[in-house]
Amino acid sequence: MSGTWWVSDAPCAGDMRFTPNDASEDLLRTPQTHQLLTVCEGCPYRARCIALVLPRHSKFDGVCGGRLWHDGRLRATCKGADPDELEEGPAPIAHGTESGARAHNRRGERACARCREAGRLAQARRREKRASGS
């Protein structure tokens, strides 16, 4: 499921109604918003959409992966949606940061070069700070 080449091919591509800036519980209850789910019924990218947006983790508001979300909570589902599509996987890693190095560590994997370097630099800063007595 790597890459985002499919985003421009998705039936919702460019339609801002799927991700409203002013999403509220009331707005998401409207029949017009629920009608957006019909666009998702035949979409072959529902699982990829969930994996890209991570609606639970990001506390997403709007329509994603054939589901209506508010504050990362599932509110409604399109016809034909499969529960297996809801797998979000781990949160993305902020590569090139100390927290990215820790995220690799938590996953039990070797950190990428950028994260290793960021971790090394952060450790050096901590050592320097301790040595200077600050």
Side-chain angles (χ1 to χ4, degrees):
M1 275 211 257
S2 64
T4 57
W5 57 267
W6 56 272
V7 173
S8 61
D9 291 341
C12 62
D15 191 336
M16 298 309 292
R17 295 176 302 162
F18 285 82
T19 56
N21 287 333
D22 56 349
S24 66
E25 190 79 40
D26 290 337
L27 174 68
L28 296 174
R29 284 188 184 134
T30 65
Q32 295 85 354
T33 302
H34 282 265
Q35 287 175 337
L36 294 175
L37 291 173
T38 61
V39 174
C40 299
E41 288 177 12
C43 181
Y45 307 117
R46 288 190 308 245
R48 288 177 186 254
C49 189
I50 296 285
L52 177 67
V53 175
L54 301 172
R56 283 191 181 111
H57 180 77
S58 65
K59 301 208 181 289
F60 180 77
D61 292 329
V63 176
C64 171
R67 279 87 174 171
L68 177 61
W69 303 86
H70 183 256
D71 199 27
R73 293 188 175 148
L74 189 59
R75 301 295 186 202
T77 303
C78 74
K79 292 178 186 168
D82 185 344
D84 291 340
E85 296 169 342
L86 289 171
E87 183 62 39
E88 287 191 18
I93 292 177
H95 292 286
T97 65
E98 183 182 11
S99 65
R102 286 193 305 267
H104 282 292
N105 229 2
R106 282 191 302 275
R107 293 181 186 187
E109 60 192 30
R110 185 166 192 248
C112 67
R114 290 173 48 209
C115 289
R116 278 195 312 270
E117 180 65 9
R120 186 189 68 72
L121 292 172
Q123 187 176 33
R125 282 190 303 272
R126 285 192 298 275
R127 282 187 193 134
E128 194 174 292
K129 189 175 180 181
R130 276 193 300 256
S132 70
S134 303

